[in-house]
Amino acid sequence: DYYGWVQTHGPCAVLQTGTVVVGNNAVRSATVAGSVAPATSDILTHIGEVMVVNGDGDHCVVWLRIN
């Protein structure tokens, strides 16, 4: 009755929080579970590079690089 999906590399549609920019790094959102936000610091762990942008609360495409 349960299932899951784990992806660590390649293009992936993810929930977007805030204004992310194509070509910039994305990080795990601190406010919305399961979403990405723009990287505001080099201290945060980047999950990948933004490829396609949509509006806040919509899905964007990120090239994942999770090791």
Side-chain angles (χ1 to χ4, degrees), residues 37-51:
T40 57
S41 170
D42 288 335
I43 296 172
L44 301 172
T45 302
H46 302 153
I47 65 157
E49 183 178 312
V50 178
M51 297 174 62

Side-chain angles (χ1 to χ4, degrees), residues 7-57:
Q7 181 176 347
T8 61
H9 190 78
C12 183
V14 293
L15 182 61
Q16 168 184 331
T17 302
T19 304
V20 295
V21 178
V22 172
N24 285 4
N25 289 317
V27 297
R28 182 180 60 87
S29 173
T31 58
V32 179
S35 71
V36 297
T40 57
S41 170
D42 288 335
I43 296 172
L44 301 172
T45 302
H46 302 153
I47 65 157
E49 183 178 312
V50 178
M51 297 174 62
V52 177
V53 175
N54 285 308
D56 184 21

Side-chain angles (χ1 to χ4, degrees), residues 5-6 20 24 33 36 38 60 65:
W5 177 263
V6 177
V20 295
N24 285 4
V36 297
C60 65
R65 292 187 176 115

